[in-house]
Amino acid sequence: MADRNCLVTNDWICGEYLRSRSHELTEATLQHIWITAVSVLIGLAVAFPLALLARRGRHFAGPVLGLTTVLYTVPSLAMFSLLLPLFGLSAALVVTGLVLYSLTILVRNILAGLQAVPQEAREAARGMGYGPVRLLWEVELPLALPALMAGLRIATVSTVALTTVGSLVGKGGLGNLIEDALPSLFKAQVLTASVLCVLLAVAADLLLLGAQRLLTPWTRIRRPAAASAGAGIAKTEAG
């Protein structure tokens, strides 16, 4: 009885709300995940060639980095308004806006990772007969993965948060629930949707962190090796 009354008393924590609105919460969460995943994947597909273009020299890097930075500074309401004539009130409108916002993070991190590849590794690969394409995919990209994955994690968490703004056109996933609940201050719905957004961001970050550790095992080997070397030096000095 107390759980049922929590809807009447408009409590922040209400078990009856979770039970009675579970279907609505599931649909909003799935929409949030879908919009986030599609936006980040498309953003990555667009950012990669842009980073390769920016790497060709300052004449390309300036315009590419400048444009992506300007896009990130555009307020979300203005961005969606500019895209509205092209996409209408659709999920494509939200996805396109989120893709544009993700570019500044992804392009910069991919570019930073590629630029950090040691020149010695490139020269050794060229000496073994690697062409530009093979050099990129088999040498440079694997070595750039830590920076790339770091940017992907930041972009994903940022996109999870920005997806809620899609509620302006009814395509905001959990943001729709928050916007619907705010006029009447439906506390249980506001809190539940907000907590789910945070959990999605944390889960996505941990998932990508796990993928990063699997894809870059050498980053875990260096630390123990360095620690062992340090211990050996300390032992020698002590002796």
Side-chain angles (χ1 to χ4, degrees), residues 41-62:
L41 289 175
I42 295 176
L44 187 60
V46 175
F48 188 69
L50 287 177
L52 293 180
L53 178 63
R55 190 178 62 155
R56 295 178 67 87
R58 294 181 179 178
H59 296 295
F60 296 101

Side-chain angles (χ1 to χ4, degrees), residues 7-152:
L7 287 173
V8 178
T9 57
N10 194 24
D11 295 336
W12 285 104
I13 301 175
C14 183
E16 180 60 24
Y17 170 76
L18 296 177
R19 285 190 291 270
S20 61
R21 304 291 182 89
S22 59
H23 181 69
E24 183 179 341
L25 288 168
T26 300
E27 284 190 344
T29 302
L30 291 176
Q31 184 188 66
H32 206 108
I33 294 172
W34 178 81
I35 291 175
T36 299
V38 171
S39 300
V40 172
L41 289 175
I42 295 176
L44 187 60
V46 175
F48 188 69
L50 287 177
L52 293 180
L53 178 63
R55 190 178 62 155
R56 295 178 67 87
R58 294 181 179 178
H59 296 295
F60 296 101
V64 169
L65 297 178
L67 177 60
T68 55
T69 300
V70 168
L71 289 173
Y72 196 78
T73 62
V74 177
S76 55
L77 182 58
M79 177 71 79
F80 289 162
S81 298
L82 291 172
L83 296 174
L84 186 59
L86 296 175
F87 299 100
L89 298 175
S90 65
L93 169 67
V94 180
V95 169
T96 303
L98 294 176
V99 167
L100 295 177
Y101 281 131
S102 71
L103 291 181
T104 184
I105 300 171
L106 293 173
V107 170
R108 288 178 181 275
N109 277 269
I110 295 172
L111 180 59
L114 292 174
Q115 290 177 335
V117 175
Q119 188 61 30
E120 295 82 1
R122 293 193 180 95
E123 294 299 330
R126 291 192 185 101
M128 295 172 64
Y130 280 47
V133 176
R134 189 181 178 191
L135 174 65
L136 172 65
W137 289 103
E138 296 187 18
V139 178
E140 294 180 316
L141 189 57
L143 292 176
L145 267 179
L148 189 155
M149 291 300 296
L152 186 61

